[in-house]
Amino acid sequence: MVLDPEKGALTGERNVLVDDGVITAVSGEAVPRKDAQVCDLEGRTLMPGLCDAHVHVTAVTPDFAALRHWSPSYVTARAAEVLEGMLMRGFTTVRDAGGADFGLARAIDEGYLAGPRILFCGKALSQTGGHGDMRSPGEHGLGECFCCAGLGHVCDGVTEVRRAARNEIRKGANQIKIMASGGVSSPTDRISNLQFSIEEISAIVAEAEAAGLYVMAHAYTADAVNRALTCGVRSIEHGNLLDRGSIDLFQKMDAFLVPTLSTYHALWDEGVEAGLPADMHGKIAEVMDAGMAALELADRNGVRIAYGTDLLGAMHRHQSNEFTLRAQVQAPDSIIRSATTVAAELFGLAGQIGVVAEGARADLLVVDGNPLDDLALLQDQGRHMPAIMKDGVFCKNELG
C-alpha cells in the first residue's frame, strides 16, 4: 500500500522502482527491474519521508548563552547524535532555523554524517537586544564577536541587515531567518517585543528575493506576525498569539505558518533540567496554551501549515510528539500533509520530496500499518518503521 498525502488515502498495492536515488516508476503493474534488489513489504505501508520545517540541529543545549562559547567542532560532534536521531524517526529533510551551515549540510550530503538533508539559513538575523542576542544585561561587546557557535547574528539598521543577509546568502543559505519578536530563550527581551523596523524587515526580504530565496520569521504576537507578513515574509514560525487579522494576511500574502507545539511542552516539563536557565521558564506559559488555539484557528480557515518542532538539547527525542499534539485539533491526513507535501511546497521542493511519485527523490518510509488510522505509528523513535530510505539508500532495513 502506498500513502498519498495529498489525497489523504492509500492507493493500494503498487510496485515502486528506485534507480540512482530517484523514483523511476510507480505502477499497479509489474515494472522492469533488471537486477534490482526486491523488497516485499508484505502489506505494510510505503510513504514519503517526513519533513520538519523548524529545527536547530546545533542546539545541543537549550542554554544558548552558554552555547555561543562552545567550540564549533565540539558542537558539530554533539549535533551528529541529533541528526542521526532525526533520520531514524523518519525525517529525511529538515529546515534549520539557525545554527547549521554549509559545512554541516555538505557533510551529510557526502556521507560523512548520518542525518536528514538540511536546508539551512546559517545565522538567524536579530536586532540588538533581540531574540538572537544572547548577551546578558551586564555583558558588552559586538554581536559579531560572540556568534561563532551560536545561532544568531546581531545587526541593526538597513545597511547592516542588508550586509548580514547578503553574507548568509554568500555562504549558501537556502532561506533567511529573522527574529521579528521576543522569545522564550533570549535573556533581555519580552515575548511582546516587536523586533526590527519595517524598513529593516523589508530590506531583508528584498535581499532574499533578489537571490531567489525567501524569509522565515520568528514571531509570536499578532502585531509581529502581521507586520512580518505585510513586509513579504513567506513563513511565520510559531505564531502562537496570532489573530483573525493574521489569518486574512496569510491568505492574502500566500504565506505559511509553522507551529512548534512540542517544544513548549518539552521545555515546560524538562527545560530547566536540560539546561534552560530557570529565569526563562516562566516565559513558556505565555505562549504554550495559546499555540493550540492559534493552530485550530489557522487550520479551520485554510492557512497552509507546515510541520515544525523547534526542540533543543536532549528534548530532540520528542520530535514526533508534534503529531500527537496537533491531533487534538487537526485531522491525521492534514498533519501528515504538513510533514510532507505542504513542507515541500514551502521549501520550494514540491514534487521532489514529500511524495511517492515518478521523478521524486527516493525518500521512503516503510510503516507497520496505516498512519492515517494511527499516528502513533510515526512515533516511538521509528520503532514502527522497519525501513527508512533517503536518496535511494537504506538508512535502516529490517525487512529481512
Side-chain angles (χ1 to χ4, degrees):
M1 303 290 187
V2 175
L3 193 156
D4 182 335
E6 203 58 38
K7 293 180 179 177
L10 299 183
T11 62
E13 293 187 3
R14 293 289 186 273
N15 292 304
V16 178
L17 184 64
V18 172
D19 186 20
D20 196 24
V22 176
I23 298 171
T24 57
V26 179
S27 175
E29 308 296 329
V31 296
R33 54 184 175 86
K34 299 179 182 177
D35 57 351
Q37 175 185 356
V38 178
C39 297
D40 186 350
L41 303 191
E42 300 178 336
R44 297 181 179 94
T45 298
L46 183 70
M47 67 176 290
L50 301 170
C51 304
D52 191 330
H54 192 118
V55 302
H56 293 284
V57 300
T58 62
V60 294
T61 172
D63 187 353
F64 291 161
L67 181 66
R68 62 193 172 92
H69 296 297
W70 291 10
S71 161
S73 56
Y74 176 66
V75 172
T76 299
R78 294 274 300 271
E81 182 180 17
V82 172
L83 288 160
E84 186 172 12
M86 290 179 174
L87 186 58
M88 291 300 100
R89 294 180 204 107
F91 290 89
T92 51
T93 303
V94 298
R95 186 181 63 159
D96 194 86
D101 63 5
F102 170 80
L104 198 57
R106 183 171 180 177
I108 291 172
D109 289 344
E110 295 181 356
Y112 292 105
L113 289 174
R117 72 178 57 83
I118 300 176
L119 306 174
F120 63 93
C121 68
K123 303 295 184 185
L125 308 187
S126 168
Q127 69 173 45
T128 294
H131 184 50
D133 188 341
M134 295 301 156
R135 291 173 293 182
S136 67
E139 189 175 352
H140 303 286
L142 298 175
E144 290 79 3
C145 298
F146 64 80
C147 63
C148 188
L151 278 61
H153 177 92
V154 175
C155 48
D156 297 291
V158 170
T159 299
E160 279 192 28
V161 301
R162 283 190 185 277
R163 182 180 293 114
R166 289 172 180 174
N167 199 38
E168 297 305 335
I169 293 167
R170 176 190 67 82
K171 293 186 290 183
N174 300 103
Q175 66 279 331
I176 299 298
K177 165 80 176 292
I178 67 169
M179 305 302 194
S181 81
V184 170
S185 58
S186 35
T188 61
D189 62 4
R190 296 175 297 279
I191 297 291
S192 60
N193 282 16
L194 285 172
Q195 296 180 5
F196 281 134
S197 67
I198 290 175
E199 292 77 14
E200 289 169 321
I201 297 173
S202 297
I204 296 168
V205 169
E207 291 299 331
E209 290 181 348
L213 307 180
Y214 66 90
V215 174
M216 57 188 294
H218 162 102
Y220 278 118
T221 66
D223 285 345
V225 169
N226 297 351
R227 192 168 68 151
L229 290 171
T230 301
C231 290
V233 165
R234 176 174 169 82
S235 172
I236 296 294
E237 313 304 301
H238 319 304
N240 298 46
L241 303 171
L242 58 74
D243 61 13
R244 177 65 230 195
S246 308
I247 300 301
D248 295 338
L249 280 170
F250 272 107
Q251 295 167 337
K252 177 182 178 182
M253 304 302 292
D254 201 25
F256 293 77
L257 174 66
V258 185
T260 56
L261 303 180
S262 53
T263 195
Y264 310 114
H265 290 262
L267 283 168
W268 186 259
D269 293 338
E270 305 174 15
V272 174
E273 180 183 357
L276 181 75
D279 58 354
M280 296 180 186
H281 189 260
K283 286 185 173 183
I284 302 166
E286 296 183 48
V287 295
M288 184 164 63
D289 292 338
M292 191 67 72
L295 172 63
E296 184 174 18
L297 178 64
D299 181 64
R300 190 169 65 243
N301 288 281
V303 172
R304 291 183 294 175
I305 302 169
Y307 188 100
T309 56
D310 194 29
L311 291 157
L312 312 171
M315 294 171 284
H316 277 107
R317 73 187 190 283
H318 297 301
Q319 185 176 25
S320 302
N321 191 42
E322 190 79 18
F323 287 106
T324 300
L325 293 170
R326 294 193 184 195
Q328 296 178 47
V329 297
Q330 281 188 288
D333 61 323
S334 293
I335 305 171
I336 291 173
R337 272 193 293 275
S338 76
T340 52
T341 54
V342 176
E345 186 180 1
L346 168 57
F347 301 162
L349 296 174
Q352 298 180 51
I353 62 173
V355 291
V356 181
E358 292 183 16
R361 294 189 182 197
D363 296 346
L364 301 169
L365 309 180
V366 177
V367 183
D368 288 330
N370 182 2
L372 293 166
D373 293 335
D374 185 5
L375 285 172
L377 294 170
L378 302 179
Q379 300 186 56
D380 294 334
Q381 311 304 315
R383 186 164 65 91
H384 308 291
M385 301 173 185
I388 298 170
M389 176 180 283
K390 177 189 158 200
D391 280 329
V393 177
F394 279 112
C395 310
K396 174 183 179 181
N397 187 358
E398 299 175 350
L399 295 174

